[in-house]
Structures are given as C-alpha cells and as structure tokens.
Amino acid sequence: MPSKSIEERFPALAVCPPALAWLRMRADFGLAPRTVDAYGRGLAEYLAFCNAQSVSVVDAGRDHVARFVRELTDRPSRRPELLPFAPSPPRLANATIQQRLTAVRLFYDYLVEEGLRVTSPVGRGRYTPGACLGTARHGLVPRYVHLPWIPNEDGWAAILAIAAAEPIRNRTMLAFAYDAGLRREELCALRTDDIDPARRMLRVRAEATKSRRERIVPYSAPAGELLRAYLAHRAEFSSARGPLFLSESRRNPAEPITPWTWSKVVRRIALAAGEPRFGTHTLRHLCLTDLARAGWEVHAIATFAGHRSTATTLRYIHLSGRDLAAKLAAGMAQLHERRIALLAATPMGMA
C-alpha cells in the first residue's frame, strides 16, 4: 500500500500553501519521517489555533504566539498514566511543548527567508556567558532535561513474566531491543543478512538510524538461541531473505513488521505487567544504563548506542549512579578512617 501524501496526512496544511510548501521542503531534504510527522502535527495544531483566533498565520504576532504557548502549557496530557509524579491534572510533557514550538519557529524562519515576513514572532533563546541571572535571554518555555525512566527490579521482573508467554517472534525482538540497545525503527528494519551468527554481531543500517550512521553491535548467546528458534519458526511461512521480523497477521502475512505494530505489542505487555510507562525505547534506556553500571566508558557506550554526542550518553552514566556512588564510597572511607583514628588516639593524662 503506497504511503499517504503530506496533504492526506495533514489536511490542515493543505489550506495554507506556505505551510505545505515548508513541510514538503523539509521532507525533500531527507528529514527523518518521524521528524516530518512531528513537525506536521505541531504546525497543524498551530494553524488550528490561529484559525480559532481568526488571525492569518502569516500575519500573526508575538501576542498570538504567546497565547499559543499558554494554550500548550495549560493543555492536559492525553496519557496521564505516563506522568505519575506530575502536578494534578498532568499537563503536556515539556519535550512535547518544545517540539511543537520548534516546528512553529522553523516555519516562521522559512517565511522570513521567503520574504513573506520581515521578522519572526518566535524569539530564539540564547545564553549570554557572564550575564547575571535574569538578564540572559531564554526560550519561550523553560527546557527541562529529565533522566530516562527505567523500571526497578520488580517492574522488570513483571515485564519478563508477561513476555515469557509471548510468541517466539516477540520474545526475540524484546531480547534484541535490550541486548543491542536498538531503537524501535532500527529493530524493525533488521534484515536477515544483517545478522552474523558466527560472531554474534548485527549491523544497524545507516538509513534506519537516527544519526544516519551505521554501526556494528554484539548480541548475547541467549539472544542467539532465541534467534535460532525464531528463524526456524519464520521458515514455516516464509523462506525469503529480506526483513527479519515479519507480520503473522491474516491481513498482511509475511510482510515486514511495522514500528507501530511493535509499539502496540510492547504497550500490551506493559499494561499486562502493570508498568504503563514501559515502552519500546525503555529497553534501550535499560541496556545503556546497565552498560554504565558495568563500568563501560562514556565513549564506548556512545559508540555502541550510535550517539552523535557524548552529552546524550552522559545521561545514562548519571542514571546509573556509578560515578556518584564511587565518589561517595571513597569519601565515606576517608571519613571513616578519620573517625577511627580519633577514637584510637589516646587522650592526654589517661595513658
């Protein structure tokens, strides 16, 4: 089935030629499909807001953008179960708001470049070194950087208990997603010729990665056993080389499994285990955190994960608590020694 056009996916953009032209251009420049979809959703929401305000999106001013920001920050979350510690009622996640505003800002940059506006109504936040607090310019909305969420041992045990009853394909996919720290798209894009069973290595193709960088990563012996069992099962309904993980539904048998189908599988497992925050990316978070706990250096983890910047990788080092625990242990050892030395000292006049 051919993929839908931008007009079909975002009908709100079809009535605004500049918006449609901008999103098409971003797609033509090779932007990742998920990013194009995110920009399309964000811009469609902004167009709907401007329409409700009876203002042309091309002529909107900073006051309209400010009202849109207020609407976003006041909007309740559609998935409150994923924000158990948020104020009541839970609002949109900070990352979602930032994503929406990025689409609006880039769209207005385009309008300025095309001569349709003189200036953009969306300011760019920037930090001025040495400036006093309150004098530096910031973004429209404060940006919060949260550590990735991973389940505790009880939560992980619950996930594994439910996963144990899953079909061999799903168990193999779960094992590879964790073992190799794969993103959802990377997992679903694996092909039969990407696997090297002799060396227990797999290739993650550049076109499937977020950074557009190919990498080779290992997988464990238990994952290899699951893979052998799955390949024997796969041969019962398809002997063709190509996509590794195939759909077994009646609607599209032997077709490549889609990221959306895989998300539904993981979502079903998460709800059955009583861990609604668990998602396809959680397996990657858990893998990288475990590598940090095991003492891997930050550059090694970054290479394994395919991160462009080690700043992203450092989040998993912090989440593991490895460095802080080591410093705490060293500090407590020195403090302990000093206290013991004081107790062992003989007070004057008591010898």
Side-chain angles (χ1 to χ4, degrees):
M1 180 182 296
S3 59
K4 292 184 178 180
S5 66
I6 289 178
E7 296 94 322
E8 292 173 319
R9 282 149 52 198
F10 305 106
L13 272 61
V15 299
C16 181
L20 188 61
W22 173 75
L23 194 60
R24 278 178 175 167
M25 182 186 68
R26 305 297 295 189
D28 291 342
F29 277 146
L31 207 63
R34 285 185 65 190
T35 306
V36 173
D37 285 342
Y39 284 173
R41 288 194 302 270
L43 194 53
E45 285 188 17
Y46 181 63
L47 291 177
F49 173 82
C50 288
N51 184 58
Q53 297 285 317
S54 301
V55 61
S56 166
V57 66
V58 176
D59 300 325
R62 291 190 178 185
D63 55 332
H64 298 102
V65 174
R67 285 199 288 272
F68 180 61
V69 170
R70 173 56 64 88
E71 195 273 334
L72 288 176
T73 54
D74 288 346
R75 186 186 304 175
S77 172
R78 296 178 182 175
R79 301 279 293 277
E81 69 277 8
L82 300 183
L83 302 167
F85 305 111
S88 182
R91 306 297 184 186
L92 281 185
N94 181 260
T96 302
I97 295 174
Q98 298 289 352
Q99 188 182 69
R100 299 290 189 268
L101 295 179
T102 296
V104 174
R105 174 175 57 79
L106 292 176
F107 171 63
Y108 277 117
D109 288 347
Y110 166 78
L111 295 183
V112 172
E113 292 172 358
E114 294 296 308
L116 298 176
R117 284 186 66 105
V118 176
T119 59
S120 170
V122 185
R124 289 176 177 269
R126 62 175 180 268
Y127 172 70
T128 306
C132 297
L133 183 64
T135 60
R137 291 183 59 187
H138 302 281
L140 296 177
V141 175
R143 184 180 295 274
Y144 304 118
V145 180
H146 298 284
L147 291 176
W149 177 86
I150 57 173
N152 58 24
E153 289 302 317
D154 290 340
W156 181 232
I159 292 290
L160 292 178
I162 298 298
E166 287 291 307
I168 184 62
R169 184 203 67 188
N170 295 350
R171 283 185 284 140
T172 305
M173 293 183 72
L174 286 167
F176 270 71
Y178 167 76
D179 227 13
L182 300 179
R183 300 179 178 94
R184 181 184 67 165
E185 287 74 16
E186 295 171 348
L187 178 68
C188 294
L190 284 177
R191 299 175 59 84
T192 53
D193 54 348
D194 291 333
I195 309 296
D196 183 356
R199 297 178 179 83
R200 290 208 305 268
M201 305 289 285
L202 62 88
R203 178 176 65 165
V204 185
R205 296 171 181 262
E207 56 269 26
T209 67
K210 187 176 180 179
S211 62
R212 296 297 186 260
R213 295 180 179 180
E214 186 170 290
R215 66 186 190 276
I216 305 293
V217 294
Y219 60 89
S220 66
E225 292 298 324
L226 285 169
L227 177 63
R228 274 193 285 273
Y230 170 67
L231 290 177
H233 170 73
R234 182 183 184 277
E236 296 176 2
F237 59 93
S238 176
S239 58
R241 296 178 65 84
L244 177 61
F245 297 114
L246 304 179
S247 170
E248 299 177 19
S249 69
R250 295 180 179 179
R251 289 185 56 190
N252 51 353
E255 292 293 319
I257 188 171
T258 66
W260 297 274
T261 298
W262 176 235
S263 291
K264 291 178 181 178
V265 169
V266 174
R267 181 66 178 163
R268 173 173 51 77
I269 294 173
L271 293 178
E275 292 290 338
R277 299 181 71 186
F278 191 91
T280 56
H281 217 62
T282 309
L283 292 158
R284 175 175 166 87
H285 291 328
L286 186 59
C287 170
L288 301 184
T289 304
D290 284 346
L291 294 180
R293 288 168 174 164
W296 279 41
E297 295 300 325
V298 62
H299 291 286
I301 300 176
T303 301
F304 180 91
H307 288 156
R308 284 183 176 179
S309 169
T310 55
T312 302
T313 314
L314 282 172
R315 295 194 302 165
Y316 300 97
I317 302 291
H318 298 326
L319 182 59
S320 70
R322 186 188 72 196
D323 292 346
L324 292 178
K327 290 178 180 179
L328 178 62
M332 290 301 291
Q334 294 173 5
L335 181 60
H336 181 73
E337 290 176 1
R338 288 198 300 270
R339 288 179 174 169
I340 291 298
L342 288 172
L343 291 173
T346 303
M348 294 183 61
M350 295 184 62

